[in-house]
Amino acid sequence: METKKLAGQTALVTGASSGIGKACAIALGEAGANVVVNFAGNSAGADEAVDIIKETGSGAIAIRADVSKKDQVDAMFAEAVKAFGTVDILVNNAGLQKDAAFVDMTLEDWNYVLGVNLTGQFLCAQSAVKEFLRRGMNGHRSLGKIICMSSVHELIPWAGHINYAASKGGVMLMMRSLAQELGPMKIRVNSIAPGAIKTPINRMAWETPEAEQRLLRLIPYKRVGDVADIGNAAVWLASDESDYIHGATIFVDGGMTLYPGFEDNG
Ligand code: BGC
């Protein structure tokens, strides 16, 4: 039997009870990793991911933690290490939108989105790095892998979503700076920047045929993305096959970042 690509490794995926996070957790499990399925509120979604992963033969547990709270992140990593011995792969995925016109955006909505999407990634990355350093090299090419879930909106400005776009712009330079600082320790850090992927976060943008047609104008490849598109990228970025990819943002967006408004005459 062929050894699975991520056999013997443990992945912790934040925000893994639905959407992109859940798909990444399942894909990493299918690739042979034990998976810690983090969730904030949706325990049923997390349990479902755990069941699917266990059916593939990998270990899986669900852990509740609000990634914007340091004590909860610390406790989650301690529990993960207790369950599986260490963590090799962090998928910093938990993220949300709280959209409003700029003049109406409350400080609470600003802080909430920045807290989960950016501070959450900082806290989880720091806990992961501490665990990588404690554990030391363990037979894989790097000491550990961090995959940050960014967005095409680390690049594309987004009116009406100032908090979200600011959080993803922050993820972009946090990831690149982390890659610069942690590379010498053999810790590999990259981002995935999804475009429009069919998940609950953007249901309104694809739910009706009219909405989907409007959305497709922004996608040169003329297909709305699927969560498996992101899961596949996460497995590859977590594996030794991508060992020389470091500090990169992989756009998985059907070309959304190609200025589709210019496909005609400008
Ligand atoms: C957002 C989605 C949006 C997509 C493309 C994502 O980061 O969360 O709501 O559909 O970017 O604009």
Side-chain angles (χ1 to χ4, degrees), residues 33-246:
N34 295 319
V35 184
V36 177
V37 175
N38 160 257
F39 68 101
N42 177 6
S43 62
D47 289 344
E48 195 183 81
V50 165
D51 289 345
I52 295 170
I53 294 163
K54 282 184 172 165
E55 272 168 31
T56 71
S58 294
I61 54 166
I63 304 182
R64 182 192 295 268
D66 173 348
V67 294
S68 70
K69 303 277 176 348
K70 182 169 161 46
D71 54 339
Q72 294 187 34
V73 170
D74 287 348
M76 171 170 68
F77 273 81
E79 202 179 327
V81 171
K82 203 160 151 224
F84 294 121
T86 188
V87 172
D88 303 275
I89 299 155
L90 167 66
V91 182
N92 242 340
N93 167 77
L96 43 82
Q97 288 180 219
K98 207 92 173 55
D99 311 329
F102 177 62
V103 286
D104 300 325
M105 188 172 283
T106 62
L107 178 60
E108 284 71 29
D109 287 353
W110 170 267
N111 283 336
Y112 183 45
V113 170
L114 269 290
V116 173
N117 295 14
L118 186 56
T119 307
Q121 292 211 16
F122 160 73
L123 289 172
C124 291
Q126 194 176 55
S127 283
V129 169
K130 285 181 182 167
E131 171 54 23
F132 298 162
L133 293 170
R134 181 201 67 80
R135 181 237 309 135
M137 291 299 278
N138 62 348
H140 307 291
R141 292 194 75 178
S142 64
L143 188 67
K145 279 87 50 168
I146 298 175
I147 300 168
C148 297
M149 205 54 71
S150 184
S151 163
V152 289
H153 299 295
E154 72 166 49
L155 193 67
I156 304 176
W158 207 12
H161 307 73
I162 302 298
N163 46 3
Y164 185 84
S167 74
K168 296 303 184 179
V171 165
M172 187 261 287
L173 269 179
M174 183 185 73
M175 180 281 288
R176 287 164 54 93
S177 304
L178 278 177
Q180 196 186 56
E181 183 165 337
L182 303 177
M185 302 168 197
K186 297 220 60 82
I187 297 171
R188 212 149 61 69
V189 191
N190 293 288
S191 283
I192 297 173
I197 309 297
K198 278 190 185 171
T199 73
I201 207 173
N202 58 359
R203 186 176 297 282
M204 270 166 54
W206 52 263
E207 208 169 23
T208 65
E210 300 75 48
E212 183 159 357
Q213 277 314 311
R214 220 173 23 247
L215 182 57
L216 288 176
R217 291 203 309 244
L218 300 176
I219 308 171
Y221 199 57
K222 301 301 171 204
R223 166 167 85 75
V224 180
D226 194 77
V227 289
D229 293 317
I230 308 302
N232 291 335
V235 168
W236 182 70
L237 269 182
S239 77
D240 280 351
E241 284 178 10
S242 62
D243 189 57
Y244 210 51
I245 311 287
H246 182 58

